Amino acid sequence: DGGITQSPKYLFRKEGQNVTLSCEQNLNHDAMYWYRQDPGQGLRLIYYSQIVNDFQKGDIAEGYSVSREKKESFPLTVTSAQKNPTAFYLCASKRTGSQETQYFGPGTRLLVL
Amino acid sequence: QKEVEQDPGPLSVPEGAIVSLNCTYSNSAFQYFMWYRQYSRKGPELLMYTYSSGNKEDGRFTAQVDKSSKYISLFIRDSQPSDSATYLCAMNTDSWGKFQFGAGTQVVVTP
C-alpha cells in the first residue's frame, strides 16, 4: 500500500530531552512538510523540503530541526529549546511541478512529562 | 489578521440535512483550494481540490470557489453521522507555494 507513515503514534518527552518524530512515504513524492496542530488553531508549518538535502524553515521553526537525506524520509527533531512542545504533529507530502495537493500521515501526539 | 478565516463552530445539524461550510481569505494570489476532513486524533484526508473559480461536485460533496469575493464553500448533502468531523480549508498560490490552512470547523451530525 502506498502512503505516509508516522511513528510513534504517541511520544512522551521529559524536560530537557530531544525527541525525534519519524515520517516515511512511499509515494515517490518530492516535497515533504511538517505541521503542528494545536486545539482551535489551524495547521502551522514548521519545516518543508522540496528536494533531498534541502529544506526551508516554515512559520514556527524555532526549537525544531529536520534532515532530508533520503527522498522517502523527513524526520523532525523537537529540541529542548522548544518550550511548549505538546501538540499533534502532522507530516505531509506532495508531488512538485504539478497541480497536486498534500497528503497527510496519521500524526504523532507529543506529550510532555 | 489571518490570511484564511474559518468559523470554528461547532456546527450541529440533524441527519439528512445539508451542511454548509465556508472560508474567507485575503490573498488574491491564491488559486488552488482544498477541503480536508479530519476525524479526532487522525490525519486530515483530502475531500475536494479545485483550481481557480467555479464549482466541483463529487458524490454528496460540492465545492465552490468565488475568487471575486475571496470566498470558498463546501456543501455536504444528505449528511450522515459519519460526516461528524472537523473540516479544514486550505489554499496556496501555486504548486510550489506554502499552503495556508483555516482553523477548521467542527461538524456534528446528530441521528
Side-chain angles (χ1 to χ4, degrees), chain A residues 31-75:
Chain A
M32 297 187 74
Y33 305 77
W34 273 106
Y35 291 92
R36 171 180 171 140
Q37 187 176 35
D38 295 279
Q41 298 195 38
L43 276 66
R44 293 185 289 168
L45 182 64
I46 304 172
Y47 268 98
Y48 65 105
S49 168
Q50 294 177 330
I51 196 169
V52 174
N53 292 322
D54 187 45
F55 48 83
Q56 287 79 41
K57 293 182 179 179
D59 300 318
I60 55 164
E62 186 174 349
Y64 300 97
S65 66
V66 294
S67 63
R68 186 84 188 276
E69 297 177 0
K70 298 187 299 181
K71 187 176 185 178
E72 304 80 27
S73 178
F74 192 39

Side-chain angles (χ1 to χ4, degrees), chain A residues 35 37 40-43 45 48 50 59 88 90 94 96-106 109, chain B residues 2 32 34 36 38 41-46 49 51 88 92 95-104:
Chain A
Y35 291 92
Q37 187 176 35
Q41 298 195 38
L43 276 66
L45 182 64
Y48 65 105
Q50 294 177 330
D59 300 318
F88 191 47
L90 288 160
K94 72 179 285 287
T96 54
S98 62
Q99 295 181 12
E100 292 283 338
T101 187
Q102 295 181 336
Y103 295 89
F104 285 87
R109 187 163 298 278
Chain B
K2 293 180 181 178
Y32 298 91
M34 293 130 276
Y36 289 86
Q38 185 177 25
R41 301 180 187 272
K42 303 289 185 184
E45 57 178 316
L46 181 68
Y49 176 52
Y51 169 69
L88 301 163
N92 69 343
S95 63
W96 294 95
K98 292 190 294 184
F99 289 76
Q100 296 292 336
F101 286 82

Side-chain angles (χ1 to χ4, degrees), chain B residues 56-105:
Chain B
K56 185 175 183 178
E57 189 172 318
D58 184 1
R60 297 186 296 114
F61 299 93
T62 299
Q64 291 183 349
V65 175
D66 182 349
K67 292 187 71 179
S68 61
S69 302
K70 300 192 184 69
Y71 187 92
I72 67 170
S73 301
L74 178 71
F75 300 97
I76 308 174
R77 292 183 297 280
D78 187 24
S79 58
Q80 305 295 312
S82 59
D83 293 325
S84 298
T86 295
Y87 291 81
L88 301 163
C89 65
M91 49 200 77
N92 69 343
T93 55
D94 55 51
S95 63
W96 294 95
K98 292 190 294 184
F99 289 76
Q100 296 292 336
F101 286 82
T105 299

